[in-house]
Amino acid sequence: MTALAGQHLDFVLFVQVFLNRFVSRNDRIRMGKLFGTDGIRGRANEYPVTSDMARRLGRAVVQVLGRGETATVLIGRDTRESGQVLESALAEGLLAAGARVLKLGVVPSPAVALLVKELKATAAVMLTASHNPYEDNGMKIFGGDGYKLPDQMEQELEELLLAEVDQSGEAGGTVEDFPEGIEIYAKAAVASIGGTDLQGLRLVLDAGNGAAYQIGPAVFRRLGAEVIEVAVQPNGRNINDGCGALYAEAAGRVVRENGADLGISLDGDGDRVIFTTAAGDVVHGDRALALCALCLQRGGKLRDNKMVATVMSNLGLDEAMRKEGIEVIRAGVGDRLVLEKMRAENLSFGGENSGHLIFADHATTGDGIVSALQVCKMIRESGKSLACLSSVISEYPSKLLNLPVREKPPLESLPKLQSLIAEADAEFGNEGRQLIRYSGTEKKIRILVEHKDAATVDRWIEKFARTIEEEIG
């Protein structure tokens, strides 16, 4: 624990005890659905991200996934100051349910996903809020196969978590630290590029002061790359603070200053990556998806000439892939939904333009380190720069606006908005689209407009924002 985190621990514990005592079951029910697009997430020490909920989750995980057998459950966390408190509470719940608990410490989410499968464990819980600021935290769950849970299992867990049941009980399980887990992950990451030598490659790695701050640079150095480190000094509060995948331009500046070949920016839990070129330009996520799909296709590794993207990807991706004989299948938002589509059709590649790249032959979830290694391998094998490889698509003019909202009424219940959506669809035809949805992890509504004409994009973004502010506030 850092000195800064230690100074705040007593206060954090006090707040948690207060909240846990006074948040009743009725309050929990009124607060609604626990699981968003990526587990349970919110402000740390506020419902639902409290010690009480973590304790309940421990017991529920054993009950739902253990199925009466002695369960082994892994716990990983990122660098947030609230992580250790939640870890202790989660372990307490698991122990009370008789589980064997292995604490991995600070590790990337994809390491947890790999280790639960490699160690033949029952389940794993990663304590993280991904790209969110340090004040937030969350709990994402992996099954024994290394994949995030399907909706049905999340529903079973949610019913138990919201039930008024006795959470007391004597600890019947065991707990131990398992620091060697990160080395198992490192070896698997290195093996994912099949012996490709990165000697002579100069890169900037921005770890976002998050979970990959140690293992990220170490993996690339092991393969011979020269690594310039950025944001690798977490203090419990600086995770994602002006650094990492949301601020890839920070790595871009360092790339330019040092004459590096590319920049690699990871998010707080290491499952997403955004790249920057040698000129310091940020490579949009759809360009990364396109270059990976094309390189895989040329290497005979893009199964069925299909890839999966989400509804958030630009129409330019579909257009560019269609020219190369690649079909783009659309999924809902969230790497879990992308993976469901990939598994249903036995596909090898997919992802989100937010930075989740999923190479199904090497990972069961988005993996920033493995994805960056794959791209470095593609650069080496093609002999082309990242800028050249990523110039394969022409994106439609697009804008994404995130608006904070007080509440999230069903969009279908907003007559003015529905009327405006119908008007937009009629005007756009085949030359554009709109997508309006609530965030699955925050109190925000996301407005996406794409069109061949940039002025049309600006005009409709303003109209949608004005109408939403009138109807929701």
Side-chain angles (χ1 to χ4, degrees):
M1 180 181 294
T2 64
L4 178 59
Q7 292 172 6
H8 294 273
L9 183 56
D10 288 342
F11 176 72
V12 168
L13 286 169
F14 167 77
V15 171
Q16 284 185 323
V17 169
F18 179 85
L19 288 170
N20 294 342
R21 180 173 297 173
F22 292 105
V23 175
S24 68
R25 177 173 182 265
N26 288 336
D27 291 331
R28 292 197 297 269
I29 292 172
R30 281 198 299 271
M31 289 171 181
K33 194 174 188 294
L34 293 175
F35 286 88
T37 54
D38 202 9
I40 299 170
R41 189 180 298 181
R43 186 60 60 97
N45 312 309
E46 295 180 10
Y47 181 89
V49 187
T50 63
S51 289
D52 177 63
M53 187 60 71
R55 204 172 291 114
R56 287 173 171 271
L57 181 65
R59 295 178 70 102
V61 163
V62 173
Q63 187 170 339
V64 172
L65 280 79
R67 302 301 184 190
E69 300 180 3
T70 300
T72 297
V73 182
L74 314 183
I75 304 176
R77 56 185 170 86
D78 65 22
T79 56
R80 296 162 207 273
E81 65 178 13
S82 57
Q84 286 182 305
V85 175
L86 290 171
E87 179 190 59
S88 296
L90 176 62
E92 185 181 327
L94 290 166
L95 289 171
R100 178 191 178 212
V101 182
L102 298 182
K103 296 197 296 183
L104 304 175
V106 173
V107 293
S109 284
V112 174
L114 177 130
L115 288 167
V116 70
K117 186 176 180 181
E118 288 291 311
L119 299 175
K120 296 180 171 56
T122 308
V125 182
M126 178 67 184
L127 302 171
T128 183
S130 188
H131 59 279
N132 288 21
Y134 87 92
E135 294 94 342
D136 292 349
N137 214 326
M139 297 167 271
K140 63 171 71 172
I141 307 157
F142 296 93
D145 57 2
Y147 292 97
K148 293 175 183 176
L149 302 184
D151 289 339
Q152 181 181 354
M153 277 195 173
E154 284 192 350
Q155 181 62 36
E156 288 184 59
L157 286 172
E158 189 159 298
E159 289 173 0
L160 286 172
L161 292 171
L162 294 175
E164 194 68 74
V165 296
D166 183 9
Q167 291 292 308
S168 62
E170 296 183 4
T174 61
V175 61
E176 58 189 282
D177 292 326
F178 194 74
E180 54 266 46
I182 195 64
E183 178 59 21
I184 297 173
Y185 168 74
K187 288 180 178 178
V190 168
S192 73
I193 58 171
T196 300
D197 185 4
L198 301 185
Q199 189 78 32
L201 189 68
R202 194 177 205 198
L203 59 88
V204 171
L205 195 149
D206 180 347
N209 291 314
Y213 79 100
Q214 289 182 311
I215 194 60
V219 164
F220 284 91
R221 288 197 177 107
R222 192 175 298 188
L223 287 161
E226 180 185 349
V227 180
I228 301 165
E229 298 180 356
V230 174
V232 292
Q233 296 179 315
N235 63 15
R237 291 190 165 197
N238 59 1
I239 187 171
N240 304 314
D241 186 9
C243 55
L246 288 183
Y247 303 94
E249 62 275 5
R253 288 192 293 270
V254 182
V255 168
R256 287 195 302 271
E257 291 166 2
N258 291 273
D261 297 299
L262 75 157
I264 295 167
S265 298
L266 306 173
D267 69 339
D269 69 329
D271 66 352
R272 300 198 305 177
V273 60
I274 298 293
F275 299 97
T276 45
T277 68
D281 298 323
V282 176
V283 177
H284 190 273
D286 283 325
R287 291 182 176 271
L289 287 168
L291 79 86
C292 289
L294 287 175
C295 286
L296 288 171
Q297 183 195 47
R298 289 162 189 164
K301 296 180 180 178
L302 187 70
R303 285 199 286 277
D304 293 339
N305 282 331
K306 295 179 182 179
M307 64 171 292
V308 179
T310 73
V311 292
M312 300 301 291
S313 276
N314 194 279
L315 290 172
L317 174 66
D318 302 71
E319 200 169 83
M321 295 299 95
R322 191 160 46 245
K323 292 176 182 177
E324 300 294 334
I326 296 173
E327 179 184 351
V328 178
I329 298 170
R330 295 282 183 151
V333 175
D335 66 332
R336 180 170 67 95
L337 298 181
V338 172
L339 267 163
E340 286 179 3
K341 290 278 189 184
M342 292 172 65
R343 295 177 74 187
E345 299 203 27
N346 190 31
L347 302 182
S348 56
F349 179 70
E352 297 188 276
N353 62 3
S354 60
H356 282 125
L357 302 177
I358 304 170
F359 294 85
D361 292 335
H362 305 294
T364 57
T365 186
D367 188 327
I369 293 173
V370 165
S371 297
L373 288 171
Q374 298 301 315
V375 169
C376 288
K377 179 181 181 181
M378 292 167 184
I379 291 171
R380 272 294 160 88
E381 290 182 344
S382 68
K384 297 179 180 179
S385 69
L386 177 62
C388 180
L389 289 175
S390 62
S391 63
V392 294
I393 72 172
S394 297
E395 294 153 308
Y396 282 33
S398 173
K399 277 193 177 180
L400 174 63
L401 181 64
N402 294 307
L403 289 179
V405 291
R406 290 194 302 265
E407 54 185 348
K408 296 181 179 180
L411 296 181
E412 302 77 30
S413 69
L414 305 174
K416 292 181 181 178
L417 178 60
Q418 291 302 312
S419 175
L420 197 62
I421 288 173
E423 183 184 338
D425 289 344
E427 179 181 320
F428 291 173
N430 295 323
E431 295 189 342
R433 66 173 183 138
Q434 55 73 31
L435 179 65
I436 300 174
R437 55 176 286 271
Y438 291 116
S439 165
T441 58
E442 302 172 273
K443 280 192 173 181
K444 290 182 179 179
I445 191 168
R446 308 198 194 285
I447 308 168
L448 172 69
V449 178
E450 286 177 4
H451 198 278
K452 289 186 174 181
D453 175 55
T456 300
V457 172
D458 291 337
R459 176 165 56 87
W460 277 98
I461 278 281
E462 290 178 8
K463 291 176 74 169
F464 281 127
R466 189 164 55 247
T467 299
I468 287 169
E469 286 173 353
E470 287 175 6
E471 285 201 289
I472 302 179

